[in-house]
Amino acid sequence: MTTATPELLTVSEVMARLKVGRSKVYDLIRTHRLASIKIDGARRIPTDAVRDFIQNQLEEAA
């Protein structure tokens, strides 16, 4: 059985998707509201983590 590798986004790509600044993305990562990994010093965020963050924000707003 093979599993699909999640797509990884750069901080800049997440900034564009969430329409927020660089500092905000790093704040979300630092506070564990947005999951991320480091690959040789480069921060990457799974697309699923961005989707989950948006969904959590929508649920909190409801």
Side-chain angles (χ1 to χ4, degrees), residues 11 21-31 34 41 43:
V11 170
R22 181 179 185 87
S23 295
K24 185 60 177 178
V25 173
Y26 279 109
D27 182 57
L28 293 171
I29 291 168
R30 183 181 54 77
T31 58
L34 186 62
R43 185 65 63 180

Side-chain angles (χ1 to χ4, degrees), residues 7-14 17 43-47 50:
E7 180 184 359
L8 298 174
L9 303 171
T10 65
V11 170
S12 295
E13 291 170 327
V14 174
R17 287 188 184 203
R43 185 65 63 180
R44 296 294 180 258
I45 301 97
T47 55
V50 176

Side-chain angles (χ1 to χ4, degrees), residues 36-55:
S36 71
I37 61 171
K38 275 184 110 173
I39 301 173
D40 292 334
R43 185 65 63 180
R44 296 294 180 258
I45 301 97
T47 55
D48 291 347
V50 176
R51 186 195 69 239
D52 292 346
F53 171 76
I54 294 168
Q55 187 61 42

